[in-house]
Amino acid sequence: MAGFSGHWAFAFGLLGNIVSFMVYLSPIPTFYQIYKKKTSEGFQSVPYVVALFSAMLWIYYAFLKSNTTLIITINSVGCFIETVYICFYLFYAPKKERVQTLKLLFLLIVCGFGFIVVSTHFLVKASERAIVVGWICLIFSLCVFIAPLCIVRKVIRTKSVEYMPFLLSLFLTLSAVMWFFYGFLIKDYNIAIPNVLGFSFGLIQMALYVKYKNAGKMSEQKIPSDNIPNHIIVLEDGKISELTEQIIDIVKSSALSRSDKVPAVSQMKGSVAEASQVQNASVKSQV
């Protein structure tokens, strides 16, 4: 029975390596967009820094235990790929994002990882070192799954999935399933437990992608560009004075026409009055 579960554990571990490798490759479309835009503005470096830190921790944990070759292989590949991603991000990042990323790297990789290695090596007994490091790995594995959720708020606020890579969410979910069964079969719950939440978080991200993937297109269709008036009158500096003079001439001509009508009307009123006087006079004479 132990040999049977060992074969299944190796199978799930091998599948976990394959799917996890796809997880590491899934941000390639994101970095292709960064390459086309020549800037990483709008994208987050936190998931890649946290993933690098987690991979380094799992390598340290694997060296403290036996029969952990599958954990060492995939996390070594992950360290290399995440380092390439971070270097690429820093190359195209604006100054503010570059400084923030360097600070995060210093805090997590230099200070955080260095402190964990030194403290567990000198302050923890050799027999308990794997347990302590295992709990630390469990916590930061949760951070790896939670890290992409920093984009979820932006997705909900903007109703756009431009900055949330769907492939990353999909492969994280599949990887969580594989590593859960691997950890469960070898009875290493430091590996199994965080992948339960990883599966849940992956489903949430994919649900948001399905909900908002067409939101941007629908908003564009609501305001078609054909209905926007595109007739714009552009006046040159030299024509402004001409237009002003024409307006003044029109106002003057209209004023003159009105002034011409006023005397005519007064004359008509005068003639009518004279006629009425003559008529009254004739009537009186007849009487």
Side-chain angles (χ1 to χ4, degrees):
M1 186 67 182
F4 179 76
S5 62
H7 289 305
W8 276 106
F10 178 79
F12 278 109
L14 184 61
L15 290 173
N17 271 255
I18 296 172
V19 178
S20 295
F21 180 71
M22 300 303 294
V23 169
Y24 288 126
L25 295 182
S26 60
I28 289 179
T30 300
F31 284 94
Y32 181 67
Q33 292 182 28
I34 293 175
Y35 173 75
K36 289 196 300 182
K37 294 180 178 180
K38 304 301 181 184
T39 178
S40 56
E41 185 176 2
F43 296 92
Q44 298 287 335
S45 63
V46 176
Y48 313 109
V49 177
V50 175
L52 175 62
F53 181 53
S54 178
M56 295 172 66
L57 279 178
W58 280 112
I59 293 175
Y60 180 48
Y61 173 72
F63 279 118
L64 297 175
K65 297 192 69 175
S66 59
N67 298 325
T68 54
T69 305
L70 293 174
I71 297 177
I72 295 174
T73 53
I74 188 57
N75 284 286
S76 299
V77 173
C79 284
F80 174 76
I81 295 176
E82 296 297 336
T83 302
V84 173
Y85 287 156
I86 293 170
C87 293
F88 194 89
Y89 181 90
L90 290 173
F91 183 78
Y92 287 105
K95 183 178 180 180
K96 182 179 179 180
E97 284 76 7
R98 186 181 296 115
V99 171
Q100 291 177 349
T101 303
L102 291 174
K103 288 181 179 179
L104 185 61
L105 282 170
F106 179 78
L107 289 174
L108 283 181
I109 307 303
V110 179
C111 297
F113 183 74
F115 175 77
I116 291 171
V117 172
V118 173
S119 61
T120 54
H121 184 77
F122 291 102
L123 301 179
V124 180
K125 296 179 181 179
S127 58
E128 299 177 354
R129 196 171 296 154
I131 299 174
V132 174
V133 177
W135 276 100
I136 297 174
C137 290
L138 188 152
I139 295 172
F140 280 96
S141 291
L142 295 178
C143 294
V144 172
F145 291 117
I146 295 174
L149 294 180
C150 63
I151 310 174
V152 169
R153 180 182 177 184
K154 189 171 185 178
V155 171
I156 296 174
R157 180 168 52 86
T158 61
K159 292 181 172 51
S160 173
V161 295
E162 181 182 1
Y163 300 112
M164 187 178 72
F166 174 76
L167 289 178
L168 180 60
S169 303
L170 175 62
F171 286 121
L172 277 175
T173 306
L174 294 176
S175 176
V177 174
M178 302 304 170
W179 287 114
F180 167 77
F181 283 108
Y182 174 78
F184 179 77
L185 291 172
I186 66 173
K187 297 181 180 180
D188 190 336
Y189 298 108
N190 293 323
I191 299 175
I193 291 175
N195 285 287
V196 175
L197 291 180
F199 175 74
S200 303
F201 291 147
L203 289 179
I204 292 173
Q205 292 178 65
M206 289 190 292
L208 285 174
Y209 186 88
V210 172
K211 182 178 180 180
Y212 293 115
K213 66 177 181 179
N214 295 323
K217 297 179 181 179
M218 293 177 63
S219 62
E220 291 177 359
Q221 292 176 358
K222 287 182 181 179
I223 307 177
S225 59
D226 296 338
N227 295 334
I228 301 176
N230 54 2
H231 300 288
I232 301 174
I233 300 174
V234 180
L235 296 177
E236 298 179 358
D237 296 337
K239 294 183 179 180
I240 294 177
S241 58
E242 297 179 3
L243 180 62
T244 306
E245 293 177 358
Q246 292 177 3
I247 294 173
I248 293 174
D249 294 337
I250 293 172
V251 173
K252 287 182 178 180
S253 61
S254 61
L256 290 173
S257 62
R258 289 179 182 178
S259 62
D260 292 338
K261 291 179 181 178
V262 171
V265 172
S266 62
Q267 290 176 2
M268 289 176 65
K269 289 182 179 179
S271 59
V272 170
E274 291 176 357
S276 61
Q277 291 176 359
V278 172
Q279 186 178 2
N280 290 331
S282 62
V283 170
K284 287 179 180 180
S285 63
Q286 290 178 359
V287 171

